[in-house]
Structures are given as C-alpha cells and as structure tokens.
Amino acid sequence: MTAPTFRNWQSVQEEVRRRIHAREWPPGELIPNEADLAMEFGCARATVNRALRSLADSGLLDRRRKAGTRVAAQPVAKATLDISVIRKEVEERGCKYGYQLIERSEAIPPLEVSGSMRTPAAGTLLHVRALHLADDAAYALEDRWINTTVVPKALSEGFDQISANEWLMANAPYTGGEIGFSAVQATPEEADMLRVSERSALFAIDRLTWDHTASVTKVRLIYAPGYQLRTVL
Amino acid sequence: MTAPTFRNWQSVQEEVRRRIHAREWPPGELIPNEADLAMEFGCARATVNRALRSLADSGLLDRRRKAGTRVAAQPVAKATLDISVIRKEVEERGCKYGYQLIERSEAIPPLEVSGSMRTPAAGTLLHVRALHLADDAAYALEDRWINTTVVPKALSEGFDQISANEWLMANAPYTGGEIGFSAVQATPEEADMLRVSERSALFAIDRLTWDHTASVTKVRLIYAPGYQLRTVL
DNA sequence: AATGTTTTTATGTCTGCACATAATAATCTG
DNA sequence: CAGATTATTATGTGCAGACATAAAAACATT
C-alpha cells in the first residue's frame, strides 16, 4: 500500500494538524524530522518545512535547531487583533461616523506622560482630545499626546476635520509600540462627555508608539459602555 | 557602482521596510515586482517572495496576483495576544499561584449559554466556577460551562486540584473559537469573591471554543481591578 | 568530576527552475 | 458598444540540491 501523497503545503499542514488533534502525536512529543516526513508524504522537504514553520508560527509546534520539532505542550492561543482607525471600526459596524474635537493645545504633559514618552519633563507636547461618534452617539473618547519633535507637521494640522487617530496613521510612521487593554471607572468628566453615569465601567486602550528610539504618540481611548473588542482564535 | 547585495530574506525585508518608512514607496503605491527586486537585490526571487510575504502577513503590504504588491494605505496594526493558562500568567509576574474551586455541578445553563454553545436548551452541562489567586490575593474569577458530550472525560475530573482552565488546555483540543474583551461592573457576588467594592470596573474576557462544529466550552474570566492585558505592536 | 573540543544532526535558508493560478488587459464577436 | 473570450502577467507554490547554523551529544583533556 502506498501512502497517499500530499502535494501542497496546506495539505501537509492539515495532516499534521489532524495527527496532533487525534493525539497520534501527543502534546510535548517529538515528531519525525522534516526529511522523514517529506519522504512519507511524498513531497519535498521545503514543502514540509513551509507547513511546519507555519504551524510553529501559530503556536501549535515548538521548533529548535537540532533539537527537532515537538508538539506544543500548552498550545498558546494567539489572538490577533486588528487595530485600525476608529472611523473604519465604526463604519464596519454599519454606523455613520462622526467626529468632534474637544481640545487642541500645546502643553506640558503630566510627569507620567513625559516619563513614558521619554520627553523632557519641562517640554511641551501637542495635546489633542476628541470624541468619536457612531450614529451620533458617543463611541469613544480619545486623549492623545503627540511628540512634535518627531512629528512637527502635526503643529500645522488643526485636527478639527480629521482625527489625530487617522491623521497620524497616514503621516507618522512608527517602528514599534506597546498596547494595553484594561477596565476603568469613568471619571466625572469622562462620564459627562460620553453621557454615561459616573463611575461606569469603561473599556480603555492605552497605546504608545515610537519611531526607532523616539516616542511618537501616547494615546488613551475610552470606549462607551457595551463596547467589546472581539477576535477569533 | 554595484548595488549592495542582500543575501538573506531578513535583510531584504529590512530594506523594503526602510523604503516604505522613508516614503520612497509611499502608502498605496505599487512597488516593483518580485523578479525586478530580485535582480536589484542580487538574490533569488524566492528570497524576495519570502520577505514580501512576511511583510504582507504583518499588514504592511497588500499583495494580489497579477495586480502586484502595494504599500498598505492604512497599515492595520496587528497586535498578537498570547492567551495562556492563568497559572503561567501569574507565575510570569513572579507571583505564587493559588487556586480555589467554588462550584462544580451539572446543571441546565441559562438560555444565553446553551444558545451560543448550540447545545439543547434542556440539556445539562458541567458548570465550574473557580477563583485564581496571585500571592494569595484574588486574581481572576472563572465561570465556565463545559460541553460534556464533547469532553466526557471532564465528568470524572473534580477540578479541585487543577483548574478547568488548565485541564481543558491539555485535554480538550479545539479547532476554533472566538474571544471578546470588555469592561463590566462587578456584580455583588463578584465583588464579594474578588473582595472589591461593588460596581468596580472589572476586565472581562469571554471565550467560546469549538471542535469542528460542536462547542467545547464557554468561559468568562473576570479579573481583579488593576489588571491590564498588554502586548507589543 | 568538571571543563573544553569536536562531531553530528535537525532546522533554516538560498538558488534556479518550473508550472499553477488569479486577475487584469487586450481582443474578438454579436 | 456591450459582453464574451483569450492572452498576458505577477504572485503562489512546487522541486532538488546545497550550504549555514545552532545545539545536543560524544569525546577528549585537565
């Protein structure tokens, strides 16, 4: 009996998935090496490599040179969140997007901000606060600090028509960043602007981006109650 | 003058990144095709392909057959969250992990649960509630429903020593799932168990996983105040 | 026994070539 | 001119073979 041949990397991947799933290759176990699998599957080693590498990327396999490939003992679920501009997020929900600038000023930020942005404590940054609307209802509150040393062009932008969220996406490239999700109680001011009762539980996204070594912008987005960030596994 | 040669796909990727970043290839613009780039970089087309494919995966490029490759107009930031078992999460913070089972019963779930799990409305599911501790302080509350038709082995597991969170990870494979993050107000019971004041803002993770077409488990994790889910961009 | 060195080996990646596939562009046809 | 058909083209993927590299294992040395 000849083994069925797997001609493309997707089918190889599928077969490997099946074996892991069926516990033919239990968690933590070393699987055959690429050359052997290539032989068994009747394809080139490169094809097996492509399939296994992709599975390793998704966290199902652990690979190390010489040590070989083993089934991840605890498959870390990797949830990928697509963070796009808020306008798109709203429009994808089938709502009409609206935008209101609340404040635009050059100011000396709180120490906590200059600290995490690594800007001089006494230096001014551009401070932009705005409200994003979905079908005329408050959707999210944006509180942003922009490093004008890195993005001087931001100084000549009013942010009254286009949100800083969107403008920066197109005008301020970044090389890295960090993002945090948390739950916060609405401050009186936030409650007022989002038109919710004080101390409501709100979803917050804090993001800090930088370009090489200089920070570009730090932003906190506070979403109206009921917001849920979703993704698939 | 000969162009510098880029011998590996990482350096090709870096160069492409640089050009995008430097606006040599502005957002939305079509970039040269693989064959031309390979020629320019002095490497094989497969190498260029590897570099570009990887950049497309990370959302910086849009590629379509025949249409060519263009710089993403709005680079969607993809944040990858690693969802592991809570024990590891706690231990990685350098805390001592603790676990307390609150309830384990077979019960008919609320309609909302049987509905999303697509189980018979009148059928029983295994209901497990537990508290996860970090350095003896409440860390997260787990409220879980398990489809015993799919995971019958769960019926012979007490979940008094090992959390359902961890046990399922190792014993119940799944093919897909969805996950949602939100902010909720603590119910009186939740507030009591997490030892926080009533109506505190808490971070909630709702997860539903399934195996092919049958749902495996549905869980809500409520984290103690101050929790922040973080990742890099 | 502890330490340093060499060998072995599985994965990582490059090359050059071929063909597949999808989508656009060009052409033909009623 | 609209609609259907065909050609073209850029990406997608396959193959075989080669060398690079990291790390474990075996061996040698002090």
Side-chain angles (χ1 to χ4, degrees), chain A residues 7-10 42-45 47 50 64-66:
Chain A
R7 322 209 123 282
N8 56 40
W9 71 268
Q10 288 96 332
C43 65
R45 186 168 79 89
T47 307
R50 181 88 162 79
R64 269 165 59 216
R65 276 184 176 165
K66 160 73 188 173

mmCIF file of all heavy atoms in Angstrom, chain A residues 7-10 42-45 47 50 64-66, chain D residues 13-25:
data_model
loop_
_atom_site.group_PDB
_atom_site.id
_atom_site.type_symbol
_atom_site.label_atom_id
_atom_site.label_comp_id
_atom_site.label_asym_id
_atom_site.label_seq_id
_atom_site.Cartn_x
_atom_site.Cartn_y
_atom_site.Cartn_z
ATOM 1 N N ARG A 7 0.463 16.856 -1.922
ATOM 2 C CA ARG A 7 1.200 17.618 -2.916
ATOM 3 C C ARG A 7 1.480 19.058 -2.523
ATOM 4 O O ARG A 7 2.427 19.659 -2.987
ATOM 5 C CB ARG A 7 0.468 17.614 -4.269
ATOM 6 C CG ARG A 7 -0.191 16.301 -4.629
ATOM 7 C CD ARG A 7 -0.257 16.108 -6.143
ATOM 8 N NE ARG A 7 0.391 14.879 -6.564
ATOM 9 C CZ ARG A 7 1.720 14.744 -6.673
ATOM 10 N NH1 ARG A 7 2.517 15.767 -6.467
ATOM 11 N NH2 ARG A 7 2.241 13.593 -7.035
ATOM 12 N N ASN A 8 0.671 19.618 -1.677
ATOM 13 C CA ASN A 8 0.953 21.010 -1.349
ATOM 14 C C ASN A 8 1.092 21.222 0.158
ATOM 15 O O ASN A 8 0.675 20.391 0.955
ATOM 16 C CB ASN A 8 -0.120 21.929 -1.931
ATOM 17 C CG ASN A 8 -1.515 21.529 -1.459
ATOM 18 O OD1 ASN A 8 -1.706 21.182 -0.308
ATOM 19 N ND2 ASN A 8 -2.458 21.597 -2.353
ATOM 20 N N TRP A 9 1.667 22.332 0.541
ATOM 21 C CA TRP A 9 1.992 22.535 1.948
ATOM 22 C C TRP A 9 0.746 22.647 2.813
ATOM 23 O O TRP A 9 0.755 22.234 3.969
ATOM 24 C CB TRP A 9 2.927 23.725 2.135
ATOM 25 C CG TRP A 9 2.319 25.081 1.909
ATOM 26 C CD1 TRP A 9 2.297 25.790 0.752
ATOM 27 C CD2 TRP A 9 1.662 25.893 2.888
ATOM 28 N NE1 TRP A 9 1.656 26.982 0.952
ATOM 29 C CE2 TRP A 9 1.265 27.078 2.239
ATOM 30 C CE3 TRP A 9 1.380 25.729 4.250
ATOM 31 C CZ2 TRP A 9 0.592 28.093 2.910
ATOM 32 C CZ3 TRP A 9 0.702 26.747 4.905
ATOM 33 C CH2 TRP A 9 0.323 27.918 4.238
ATOM 34 N N GLN A 10 -0.355 23.130 2.247
ATOM 35 C CA GLN A 10 -1.576 23.228 3.040
ATOM 36 C C GLN A 10 -2.079 21.853 3.451
ATOM 37 O O GLN A 10 -2.508 21.657 4.574
ATOM 38 C CB GLN A 10 -2.673 23.950 2.254
ATOM 39 C CG GLN A 10 -2.452 25.437 2.089
ATOM 40 C CD GLN A 10 -1.807 25.768 0.765
ATOM 41 O OE1 GLN A 10 -1.070 24.947 0.208
ATOM 42 N NE2 GLN A 10 -2.057 26.958 0.246
ATOM 43 N N GLY A 42 5.673 12.134 0.480
ATOM 44 C CA GLY A 42 5.933 12.165 -0.955
ATOM 45 C C GLY A 42 6.047 13.560 -1.518
ATOM 46 O O GLY A 42 5.572 13.847 -2.607
ATOM 47 N N CYS A 43 6.696 14.424 -0.747
ATOM 48 C CA CYS A 43 6.905 15.780 -1.265
ATOM 49 C C CYS A 43 8.306 16.240 -0.878
ATOM 50 O O CYS A 43 9.057 15.504 -0.251
ATOM 51 C CB CYS A 43 5.853 16.729 -0.715
ATOM 52 S SG CYS A 43 5.949 16.970 1.066
ATOM 53 N N ALA A 44 8.651 17.438 -1.282
ATOM 54 C CA ALA A 44 9.993 17.945 -0.984
ATOM 55 C C ALA A 44 10.078 18.417 0.464
ATOM 56 O O ALA A 44 9.077 18.777 1.075
ATOM 57 C CB ALA A 44 10.329 19.089 -1.923
ATOM 58 N N ARG A 45 11.285 18.443 0.980
ATOM 59 C CA ARG A 45 11.452 18.868 2.370
ATOM 60 C C ARG A 45 11.003 20.314 2.530
ATOM 61 O O ARG A 45 10.443 20.694 3.552
ATOM 62 C CB ARG A 45 12.928 18.730 2.803
ATOM 63 C CG ARG A 45 13.134 19.022 4.276
ATOM 64 C CD ARG A 45 14.516 18.617 4.752
ATOM 65 N NE ARG A 45 15.555 19.568 4.407
ATOM 66 C CZ ARG A 45 15.923 20.607 5.161
ATOM 67 N NH1 ARG A 45 15.316 20.816 6.299
ATOM 68 N NH2 ARG A 45 16.876 21.407 4.777
ATOM 69 N N THR A 47 8.597 21.752 1.272
ATOM 70 C CA THR A 47 7.149 21.799 1.436
ATOM 71 C C THR A 47 6.759 21.482 2.874
ATOM 72 O O THR A 47 5.915 22.148 3.472
ATOM 73 C CB THR A 47 6.482 20.801 0.469
ATOM 74 O OG1 THR A 47 6.956 21.058 -0.841
ATOM 75 C CG2 THR A 47 4.983 20.924 0.510
ATOM 76 N N ARG A 50 7.677 24.433 5.055
ATOM 77 C CA ARG A 50 6.679 25.511 4.963
ATOM 78 C C ARG A 50 5.498 25.221 5.879
ATOM 79 O O ARG A 50 5.025 26.092 6.603
ATOM 80 C CB ARG A 50 6.216 25.622 3.512
ATOM 81 C CG ARG A 50 5.203 26.703 3.227
ATOM 82 C CD ARG A 50 5.904 28.002 2.919
ATOM 83 N NE ARG A 50 4.996 28.938 2.244
ATOM 84 C CZ ARG A 50 4.074 29.653 2.864
ATOM 85 N NH1 ARG A 50 3.936 29.539 4.157
ATOM 86 N NH2 ARG A 50 3.303 30.473 2.186
ATOM 87 N N ARG A 64 13.180 23.766 17.363
ATOM 88 C CA ARG A 64 14.520 24.263 17.680
ATOM 89 C C ARG A 64 15.517 23.483 16.859
ATOM 90 O O ARG A 64 15.394 22.273 16.697
ATOM 91 C CB ARG A 64 14.806 24.116 19.171
ATOM 92 C CG ARG A 64 14.389 25.366 19.948
ATOM 93 C CD ARG A 64 14.334 25.098 21.438
ATOM 94 N NE ARG A 64 15.611 24.644 21.969
ATOM 95 C CZ ARG A 64 15.732 23.728 22.945
ATOM 96 N NH1 ARG A 64 14.664 23.175 23.456
ATOM 97 N NH2 ARG A 64 16.912 23.387 23.374
ATOM 98 N N ARG A 65 16.488 24.200 16.368
ATOM 99 C CA ARG A 65 17.501 23.552 15.554
ATOM 100 C C ARG A 65 18.105 22.398 16.325
ATOM 101 O O ARG A 65 18.332 22.501 17.524
ATOM 102 C CB ARG A 65 18.601 24.554 15.211
ATOM 103 C CG ARG A 65 18.234 25.371 14.015
ATOM 104 C CD ARG A 65 19.367 26.278 13.635
ATOM 105 N NE ARG A 65 19.003 26.981 12.405
ATOM 106 C CZ ARG A 65 19.632 28.056 11.945
ATOM 107 N NH1 ARG A 65 20.635 28.546 12.612
ATOM 108 N NH2 ARG A 65 19.250 28.619 10.844
ATOM 109 N N LYS A 66 18.362 21.395 15.594
ATOM 110 C CA LYS A 66 18.981 20.187 16.128
ATOM 111 C C LYS A 66 18.065 19.442 17.107
ATOM 112 O O LYS A 66 17.933 18.235 17.042
ATOM 113 C CB LYS A 66 20.316 20.548 16.802
ATOM 114 C CG LYS A 66 20.835 19.535 17.797
ATOM 115 C CD LYS A 66 21.355 18.289 17.093
ATOM 116 C CE LYS A 66 21.687 17.220 18.144
ATOM 117 N NZ LYS A 66 22.029 15.951 17.548
ATOM 118 P P DT D 13 0.870 30.218 -1.454
ATOM 119 O OP1 DT D 13 -0.308 29.644 -0.788
ATOM 120 O OP2 DT D 13 1.840 31.034 -0.714
ATOM 121 O "O5'" DT D 13 1.646 29.038 -2.159
ATOM 122 C "C5'" DT D 13 0.952 28.207 -3.071
ATOM 123 C "C4'" DT D 13 1.923 27.340 -3.804
ATOM 124 O "O4'" DT D 13 2.755 28.130 -4.650
ATOM 125 C "C3'" DT D 13 2.878 26.566 -2.900
ATOM 126 O "O3'" DT D 13 2.534 25.206 -2.982
ATOM 127 C "C2'" DT D 13 4.272 26.828 -3.488
ATOM 128 C "C1'" DT D 13 3.936 27.400 -4.851
ATOM 129 N N1 DT D 13 4.964 28.286 -5.435
ATOM 130 C C2 DT D 13 5.554 27.895 -6.603
ATOM 131 O O2 DT D 13 5.269 26.864 -7.178
ATOM 132 N N3 DT D 13 6.500 28.767 -7.103
ATOM 133 C C4 DT D 13 6.901 29.961 -6.534
ATOM 134 O O4 DT D 13 7.759 30.649 -7.066
ATOM 135 C C5 DT D 13 6.240 30.306 -5.298
ATOM 136 C C7 DT D 13 6.591 31.584 -4.607
ATOM 137 C C6 DT D 13 5.316 29.466 -4.823
ATOM 138 P P DG D 14 3.228 24.141 -2.027
ATOM 139 O OP1 DG D 14 2.138 23.290 -1.536
ATOM 140 O OP2 DG D 14 4.127 24.836 -1.097
ATOM 141 O "O5'" DG D 14 4.122 23.286 -3.020
ATOM 142 C "C5'" DG D 14 3.514 22.581 -4.095
ATOM 143 C "C4'" DG D 14 4.568 22.199 -5.097
ATOM 144 O "O4'" DG D 14 5.074 23.404 -5.698
ATOM 145 C "C3'" DG D 14 5.791 21.521 -4.485
ATOM 146 O "O3'" DG D 14 5.695 20.113 -4.665
ATOM 147 C "C2'" DG D 14 6.965 22.052 -5.290
ATOM 148 C "C1'" DG D 14 6.411 23.193 -6.099
ATOM 149 N N9 DG D 14 7.142 24.436 -5.872
ATOM 150 C C8 DG D 14 6.940 25.377 -4.896
ATOM 151 N N7 DG D 14 7.770 26.381 -4.975
ATOM 152 C C5 DG D 14 8.570 26.076 -6.052
ATOM 153 C C6 DG D 14 9.644 26.786 -6.619
ATOM 154 O O6 DG D 14 10.123 27.860 -6.261
ATOM 155 N N1 DG D 14 10.183 26.111 -7.709
ATOM 156 C C2 DG D 14 9.732 24.905 -8.198
ATOM 157 N N2 DG D 14 10.359 24.405 -9.241
ATOM 158 N N3 DG D 14 8.720 24.237 -7.689
ATOM 159 C C4 DG D 14 8.196 24.877 -6.621
ATOM 160 P P DC D 15 6.727 19.177 -3.961
ATOM 161 O OP1 DC D 15 6.199 17.814 -4.148
ATOM 162 O OP2 DC D 15 7.011 19.715 -2.617
ATOM 163 O "O5'" DC D 15 8.045 19.326 -4.845
ATOM 164 C "C5'" DC D 15 8.055 18.855 -6.194
ATOM 165 C "C4'" DC D 15 9.453 19.036 -6.752
ATOM 166 O "O4'" DC D 15 9.735 20.438 -6.868
ATOM 167 C "C3'" DC D 15 10.534 18.456 -5.856
ATOM 168 O "O3'" DC D 15 11.041 17.267 -6.435
ATOM 169 C "C2'" DC D 15 11.618 19.520 -5.766
ATOM 170 C "C1'" DC D 15 11.107 20.667 -6.610
ATOM 171 N N1 DC D 15 11.201 21.984 -5.928
ATOM 172 C C2 DC D 15 12.175 22.875 -6.356
ATOM 173 O O2 DC D 15 12.929 22.547 -7.273
ATOM 174 N N3 DC D 15 12.272 24.085 -5.755
ATOM 175 C C4 DC D 15 11.431 24.402 -4.766
ATOM 176 N N4 DC D 15 11.555 25.608 -4.213
ATOM 177 C C5 DC D 15 10.438 23.491 -4.305
ATOM 178 C C6 DC D 15 10.360 22.294 -4.906
ATOM 179 P P DA D 16 11.864 16.260 -5.534
ATOM 180 O OP1 DA D 16 11.587 14.925 -6.091
ATOM 181 O OP2 DA D 16 11.624 16.532 -4.106
ATOM 182 O "O5'" DA D 16 13.377 16.639 -5.855
ATOM 183 C "C5'" DA D 16 13.773 16.862 -7.203
ATOM 184 C "C4'" DA D 16 15.160 17.467 -7.203
ATOM 185 O "O4'" DA D 16 15.056 18.873 -6.869
ATOM 186 C "C3'" DA D 16 16.102 16.831 -6.167
ATOM 187 O "O3'" DA D 16 17.334 16.493 -6.802
ATOM 188 C "C2'" DA D 16 16.264 17.909 -5.106
ATOM 189 C "C1'" DA D 16 16.008 19.194 -5.875
ATOM 190 N N9 DA D 16 15.430 20.255 -5.053
ATOM 191 C C8 DA D 16 14.393 20.155 -4.167
ATOM 192 N N7 DA D 16 14.092 21.281 -3.566
ATOM 193 C C5 DA D 16 15.001 22.194 -4.090
ATOM 194 C C6 DA D 16 15.204 23.563 -3.853
ATOM 195 N N6 DA D 16 14.469 24.278 -2.997
ATOM 196 N N1 DA D 16 16.195 24.181 -4.539
ATOM 197 C C2 DA D 16 16.923 23.454 -5.402
ATOM 198 N N3 DA D 16 16.827 22.152 -5.707
ATOM 199 C C4 DA D 16 15.827 21.580 -5.004
ATOM 200 P P DG D 17 18.416 15.642 -6.027
ATOM 201 O OP1 DG D 17 19.022 14.734 -7.002
ATOM 202 O OP2 DG D 17 17.839 15.126 -4.779
ATOM 203 O "O5'" DG D 17 19.493 16.767 -5.638
ATOM 204 C "C5'" DG D 17 19.915 17.704 -6.614
ATOM 205 C "C4'" DG D 17 20.582 18.884 -5.925
ATOM 206 O "O4'" DG D 17 19.585 19.720 -5.295
ATOM 207 C "C3'" DG D 17 21.561 18.485 -4.812
ATOM 208 O "O3'" DG D 17 22.841 18.992 -5.139
ATOM 209 C "C2'" DG D 17 20.997 19.145 -3.559
ATOM 210 C "C1'" DG D 17 20.163 20.277 -4.131
ATOM 211 N N9 DG D 17 19.114 20.764 -3.235
ATOM 212 C C8 DG D 17 18.122 20.029 -2.620
ATOM 213 N N7 DG D 17 17.348 20.752 -1.859
ATOM 214 C C5 DG D 17 17.861 22.046 -1.978
ATOM 215 C C6 DG D 17 17.434 23.257 -1.372
ATOM 216 O O6 DG D 17 16.504 23.434 -0.595
ATOM 217 N N1 DG D 17 18.233 24.328 -1.764
ATOM 218 C C2 DG D 17 19.300 24.231 -2.633
ATOM 219 N N2 DG D 17 19.953 25.349 -2.893
ATOM 220 N N3 DG D 17 19.706 23.112 -3.202
ATOM 221 C C4 DG D 17 18.945 22.060 -2.825
ATOM 222 P P DA D 18 24.153 18.516 -4.367
ATOM 223 O OP1 DA D 18 25.234 18.294 -5.345
ATOM 224 O OP2 DA D 18 23.767 17.457 -3.416
ATOM 225 O "O5'" DA D 18 24.495 19.824 -3.525
ATOM 226 C "C5'" DA D 18 24.685 21.062 -4.206
ATOM 227 C "C4'" DA D 18 24.636 22.199 -3.211
ATOM 228 O "O4'" DA D 18 23.297 22.277 -2.667
ATOM 229 C "C3'" DA D 18 25.545 21.983 -1.991
ATOM 230 O "O3'" DA D 18 26.703 22.798 -2.129
ATOM 231 C "C2'" DA D 18 24.695 22.426 -0.796
ATOM 232 C "C1'" DA D 18 23.373 22.879 -1.391
ATOM 233 N N9 DA D 18 22.200 22.460 -0.630
ATOM 234 C C8 DA D 18 21.699 21.194 -0.510
ATOM 235 N N7 DA D 18 20.623 21.123 0.243
ATOM 236 C C5 DA D 18 20.405 22.430 0.642
ATOM 237 C C6 DA D 18 19.432 23.020 1.458
ATOM 238 N N6 DA D 18 18.436 22.340 2.033
ATOM 239 N N1 DA D 18 19.506 24.350 1.667
ATOM 240 C C2 DA D 18 20.506 25.034 1.088
ATOM 241 N N3 DA D 18 21.476 24.591 0.300
ATOM 242 C C4 DA D 18 21.371 23.262 0.114
ATOM 243 P P DC D 19 27.954 22.532 -1.156
ATOM 244 O OP1 DC D 19 29.157 22.924 -1.906
ATOM 245 O OP2 DC D 19 27.851 21.195 -0.531
ATOM 246 O "O5'" DC D 19 27.687 23.617 -0.023
ATOM 247 C "C5'" DC D 19 27.446 24.973 -0.404
ATOM 248 C "C4'" DC D 19 26.802 25.710 0.755
ATOM 249 O "O4'" DC D 19 25.519 25.117 1.075
ATOM 250 C "C3'" DC D 19 27.613 25.673 2.068
ATOM 251 O "O3'" DC D 19 27.782 27.008 2.494
ATOM 252 C "C2'" DC D 19 26.739 24.867 3.014
ATOM 253 C "C1'" DC D 19 25.347 25.163 2.471
ATOM 254 N N1 DC D 19 24.283 24.189 2.852
ATOM 255 C C2 DC D 19 23.143 24.664 3.504
ATOM 256 O O2 DC D 19 23.051 25.866 3.747
ATOM 257 N N3 DC D 19 22.170 23.777 3.857
ATOM 258 C C4 DC D 19 22.319 22.495 3.583
ATOM 259 N N4 DC D 19 21.324 21.667 3.940
ATOM 260 C C5 DC D 19 23.468 21.990 2.913
ATOM 261 C C6 DC D 19 24.426 22.860 2.576
ATOM 262 P P DA D 20 28.534 27.365 3.835
ATOM 263 O OP1 DA D 20 29.352 28.567 3.565
ATOM 264 O OP2 DA D 20 29.163 26.125 4.364
ATOM 265 O "O5'" DA D 20 27.338 27.779 4.793
ATOM 266 C "C5'" DA D 20 26.399 28.771 4.362
ATOM 267 C "C4'" DA D 20 25.553 29.220 5.545
ATOM 268 O "O4'" DA D 20 24.529 28.232 5.814
ATOM 269 C "C3'" DA D 20 26.303 29.403 6.863
ATOM 270 O "O3'" DA D 20 25.732 30.497 7.543
ATOM 271 C "C2'" DA D 20 26.080 28.077 7.586
ATOM 272 C "C1'" DA D 20 24.676 27.698 7.117
ATOM 273 N N9 DA D 20 24.405 26.259 6.994
ATOM 274 C C8 DA D 20 25.118 25.337 6.294
ATOM 275 N N7 DA D 20 24.605 24.132 6.322
ATOM 276 C C5 DA D 20 23.464 24.269 7.098
ATOM 277 C C6 DA D 20 22.474 23.354 7.509
ATOM 278 N N6 DA D 20 22.470 22.072 7.165
ATOM 279 N N1 DA D 20 21.488 23.823 8.293
ATOM 280 C C2 DA D 20 21.481 25.130 8.628
ATOM 281 N N3 DA D 20 22.355 26.075 8.294
ATOM 282 C C4 DA D 20 23.325 25.576 7.528
ATOM 283 P P DT D 21 26.342 30.996 8.898
ATOM 284 O OP1 DT D 21 25.984 32.417 9.003
ATOM 285 O OP2 DT D 21 27.736 30.527 8.994
ATOM 286 O "O5'" DT D 21 25.481 30.211 9.957
ATOM 287 C "C5'" DT D 21 24.065 30.396 9.979
ATOM 288 C "C4'" DT D 21 23.478 29.639 11.147
ATOM 289 O "O4'" DT D 21 23.328 28.235 10.815
ATOM 290 C "C3'" DT D 21 24.316 29.691 12.424
ATOM 291 O "O3'" DT D 21 23.419 29.868 13.494
ATOM 292 C "C2'" DT D 21 24.968 28.316 12.466
ATOM 293 C "C1'" DT D 21 23.837 27.474 11.885
ATOM 294 N N1 DT D 21 24.201 26.151 11.314
ATOM 295 C C2 DT D 21 23.313 25.130 11.454
ATOM 296 O O2 DT D 21 22.247 25.245 12.022
ATOM 297 N N3 DT D 21 23.707 23.938 10.893
ATOM 298 C C4 DT D 21 24.885 23.685 10.227
ATOM 299 O O4 DT D 21 25.122 22.574 9.769
ATOM 300 C C5 DT D 21 25.779 24.813 10.121
ATOM 301 C C7 DT D 21 27.080 24.639 9.414
ATOM 302 C C6 DT D 21 25.402 25.977 10.659
ATOM 303 P P DA D 22 23.879 30.642 14.796
ATOM 304 O OP1 DA D 22 23.345 32.001 14.755
ATOM 305 O OP2 DA D 22 25.317 30.392 15.027
ATOM 306 O "O5'" DA D 22 23.058 29.829 15.891
ATOM 307 C "C5'" DA D 22 21.704 29.482 15.611
ATOM 308 C "C4'" DA D 22 21.371 28.178 16.278
ATOM 309 O "O4'" DA D 22 21.939 27.074 15.543
ATOM 310 C "C3'" DA D 22 21.881 28.046 17.716
ATOM 311 O "O3'" DA D 22 20.825 27.523 18.473
ATOM 312 C "C2'" DA D 22 23.044 27.064 17.608
ATOM 313 C "C1'" DA D 22 22.618 26.213 16.425
ATOM 314 N N9 DA D 22 23.701 25.608 15.645
ATOM 315 C C8 DA D 22 24.884 26.175 15.269
ATOM 316 N N7 DA D 22 25.640 25.384 14.538
ATOM 317 C C5 DA D 22 24.904 24.220 14.432
ATOM 318 C C6 DA D 22 25.152 22.997 13.781
ATOM 319 N N6 DA D 22 26.259 22.738 13.075
ATOM 320 N N1 DA D 22 24.214 22.040 13.866
ATOM 321 C C2 DA D 22 23.101 22.298 14.554
ATOM 322 N N3 DA D 22 22.751 23.412 15.202
ATOM 323 C C4 DA D 22 23.709 24.339 15.102
ATOM 324 P P DA D 23 20.802 27.742 20.030
ATOM 325 O OP1 DA D 23 19.480 28.326 20.342
ATOM 326 O OP2 DA D 23 22.058 28.382 20.481
ATOM 327 O "O5'" DA D 23 20.810 26.238 20.515
ATOM 328 C "C5'" DA D 23 19.950 25.299 19.892
ATOM 329 C "C4'" DA D 23 20.499 23.920 20.065
ATOM 330 O "O4'" DA D 23 21.562 23.676 19.118
ATOM 331 C "C3'" DA D 23 21.105 23.663 21.452
ATOM 332 O "O3'" DA D 23 20.650 22.425 21.896
ATOM 333 C "C2'" DA D 23 22.599 23.603 21.178
ATOM 334 C "C1'" DA D 23 22.587 22.980 19.790
ATOM 335 N N9 DA D 23 23.815 23.122 19.027
ATOM 336 C C8 DA D 23 24.688 24.169 19.010
ATOM 337 N N7 DA D 23 25.713 23.993 18.218
ATOM 338 C C5 DA D 23 25.505 22.742 17.669
ATOM 339 C C6 DA D 23 26.238 21.966 16.758
ATOM 340 N N6 DA D 23 27.372 22.358 16.197
ATOM 341 N N1 DA D 23 25.738 20.746 16.436
ATOM 342 C C2 DA D 23 24.589 20.349 16.994
ATOM 343 N N3 DA D 23 23.815 20.996 17.870
ATOM 344 C C4 DA D 23 24.337 22.193 18.167
ATOM 345 P P DA D 24 20.472 22.163 23.461
ATOM 346 O OP1 DA D 24 19.134 22.664 23.837
ATOM 347 O OP2 DA D 24 21.681 22.628 24.176
ATOM 348 O "O5'" DA D 24 20.433 20.575 23.506
ATOM 349 C "C5'" DA D 24 19.717 19.868 22.501
ATOM 350 C "C4'" DA D 24 20.530 18.698 22.005
ATOM 351 O "O4'" DA D 24 21.670 19.172 21.251
ATOM 352 C "C3'" DA D 24 21.085 17.802 23.110
ATOM 353 O "O3'" DA D 24 20.755 16.464 22.809
ATOM 354 C "C2'" DA D 24 22.594 18.036 23.077
ATOM 355 C "C1'" DA D 24 22.820 18.446 21.628
ATOM 356 N N9 DA D 24 23.963 19.329 21.410
ATOM 357 C C8 DA D 24 24.209 20.532 22.002
ATOM 358 N N7 DA D 24 25.316 21.106 21.576
ATOM 359 C C5 DA D 24 25.825 20.224 20.646
ATOM 360 C C6 DA D 24 26.978 20.256 19.830
ATOM 361 N N6 DA D 24 27.849 21.257 19.835
ATOM 362 N N1 DA D 24 27.183 19.203 19.009
ATOM 363 C C2 DA D 24 26.293 18.195 19.008
ATOM 364 N N3 DA D 24 25.173 18.064 19.727
ATOM 365 C C4 DA D 24 25.002 19.123 20.525
ATOM 366 P P DA D 25 20.932 15.346 23.924
ATOM 367 O OP1 DA D 25 19.750 14.466 23.812
ATOM 368 O OP2 DA D 25 21.301 15.964 25.214
ATOM 369 O "O5'" DA D 25 22.205 14.562 23.371
ATOM 370 C "C5'" DA D 25 22.273 14.261 21.975
ATOM 371 C "C4'" DA D 25 23.655 13.748 21.655
ATOM 372 O "O4'" DA D 25 24.570 14.863 21.489
ATOM 373 C "C3'" DA D 25 24.254 12.852 22.731
ATOM 374 O "O3'" DA D 25 24.797 11.703 22.099
ATOM 375 C "C2'" DA D 25 25.338 13.724 23.376
ATOM 376 C "C1'" DA D 25 25.759 14.595 22.199
ATOM 377 N N9 DA D 25 26.340 15.888 22.563
ATOM 378 C C8 DA D 25 25.912 16.757 23.524
ATOM 379 N N7 DA D 25 26.641 17.862 23.608
ATOM 380 C C5 DA D 25 27.607 17.687 22.624
ATOM 381 C C6 DA D 25 28.680 18.500 22.202
ATOM 382 N N6 DA D 25 28.970 19.692 22.723
ATOM 383 N N1 DA D 25 29.450 18.041 21.185
ATOM 384 C C2 DA D 25 29.159 16.849 20.662
ATOM 385 N N3 DA D 25 28.183 15.994 20.974
ATOM 386 C C4 DA D 25 27.435 16.489 21.974
#
